[in-house]
């Protein structure tokens, strides 16, 4: 309890500063004019035994000071202003919050290193196949030929053999080309079949029964 202390006659008055080295915080009591160190209390955990608040005031604390040679002592410290006592608490809380965050990040990094690693490299002899659409054909490759239009009844019209002659010694007359509008597919309904005319004296087509093939 701070009420049991001699608050009207403090044994020492000066400046309190909090520093940190690694995960340890240091409460340093220094001369307010020269900055000479009077005592310091290393804090490895907060809340903990190194810093304790009193039961009857929010401005007074008990800290454990050390001289570096193994000697320790508990002393009571207090702040004239309540805002300074609040800042003292917040400074210690922020430091150890940062320590916990660093410890968590280190643990996660260690788990990632120990876990199975994803191997995206090619194994020996492994290949991949890429299908690229709309690739241009190599020069000289034979393109797909368009199907020939079918005649009436689904029969395909075959051209006459090159250099061939009809049975009467005359070439057969060529069929007229079907008319087609741009963009209109050729269908059976658009094919025009030449109507037979009066039979000439000689058969223009020849004797099909005697045609070879």
């Amino acid at each position: 309890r701070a009420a049991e202390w001699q608050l009207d006659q403090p044994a020492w008055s000066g400046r309190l500063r909090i520093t940190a080295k690694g995960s340890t915080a240091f409460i340093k009591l220094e001369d307010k004019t020269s900055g000479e160190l009077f005592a310091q209390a290393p804090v490895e955990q907060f809340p903990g035994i190194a810093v304790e608040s009193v039961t009857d005031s929010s401005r007074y604390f008990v800290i454990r000071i050390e001289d570096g040679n193994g000697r320790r002592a508990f002393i009571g410290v207090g702040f004239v202003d309540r805002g300074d006592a609040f800042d003292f608490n917040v400074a210690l809380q922020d430091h150890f919050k940062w320590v916990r965050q660093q410890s968590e990040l280190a643990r996660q990094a260690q788990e990632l290193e120990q876990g199975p690693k994803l191997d995206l490299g090619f194994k020996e002899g492994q290949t991949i196949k890429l299908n690229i659409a709309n690739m241009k054909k190599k020069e000289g490759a034979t393109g797909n030929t368009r199907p020939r239009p079918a005649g009436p009844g689904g029969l395909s019209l075959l051209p006459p053999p090159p250099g061939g002659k009809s049975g009467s010694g005359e070439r057969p007359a060529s069929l007229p080309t079907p008319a087609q509008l741009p963009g209109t597919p050729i269908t059976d309904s658009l094919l025009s079949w030449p109507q037979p005319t009066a039979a000439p004296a000689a058969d223009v087509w020849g004797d099909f029964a005697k045609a070879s093939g």
Side-chain angles (χ1 to χ4, degrees):
R1 292 175 55 86
E4 300 174 358
W5 302 346
Q6 298 177 358
L7 301 179
D8 54 343
Q9 297 178 354
W12 177 88
S13 62
R15 179 179 64 187
L16 184 146
R17 218 161 42 95
I18 298 178
T19 63
K21 183 177 181 181
S23 61
T24 304
F26 294 89
I27 301 174
K28 294 185 176 184
L29 303 178
E30 300 173 344
D31 186 272
K32 58 184 176 181
T33 303
S34 63
E36 182 181 358
L37 181 65
F38 172 73
Q40 72 174 1
V43 183
E44 297 179 353
Q45 183 180 357
F46 182 79
I49 194 174
V51 181
E52 294 181 283
S53 58
V54 298
T55 59
D56 58 343
S57 176
S58 61
R59 296 186 293 116
Y60 291 86
F61 303 86
V62 176
I63 64 175
R64 185 181 62 184
I65 60 175
E66 298 181 8
D67 63 356
N69 296 322
R71 293 187 301 176
R72 300 175 177 177
F74 290 91
I75 64 173
V77 296
F79 297 91
V80 177
D81 186 81
R82 194 176 302 275
D84 292 337
F86 177 80
D87 292 342
F88 173 75
N89 260 319
V90 171
L92 290 173
Q93 291 173 2
D94 287 348
H95 170 73
F96 287 98
K97 180 180 179 181
W98 173 84
V99 170
R100 289 191 296 270
Q101 291 175 345
Q102 294 300 313
S103 177
E104 181 66 18
L105 292 175
R107 184 185 64 81
Q108 293 177 359
Q110 186 177 6
E111 290 179 355
L112 290 176
E113 291 179 357
Q114 295 178 353
K117 296 182 179 180
L118 182 61
D119 186 9
L120 299 178
F122 281 98
K123 305 298 186 298
E124 184 177 358
Q126 183 179 5
T127 59
I128 61 174
K129 181 179 180 181
L130 299 178
N131 294 325
I132 303 177
N134 300 326
M135 290 187 64
K136 294 183 178 181
K137 296 181 178 180
K138 295 182 179 180
E139 295 183 1
T142 304
N144 294 330
T145 58
R146 296 181 61 182
R148 297 179 181 272
L155 296 178
S156 300
L157 302 179
L158 299 177
K165 294 183 179 181
S166 61
S168 59
E170 297 178 0
R171 289 181 177 272
S174 60
L175 296 177
T177 304
Q180 178 187 2
L181 295 177
T184 306
I186 298 178
T187 60
D188 291 347
S189 60
L190 299 179
L191 291 177
S192 59
W193 189 260
Q195 298 297 326
T197 57
D203 187 2
V204 178
W205 293 97
D207 189 358
F208 283 94
K210 297 179 180 180
S212 60

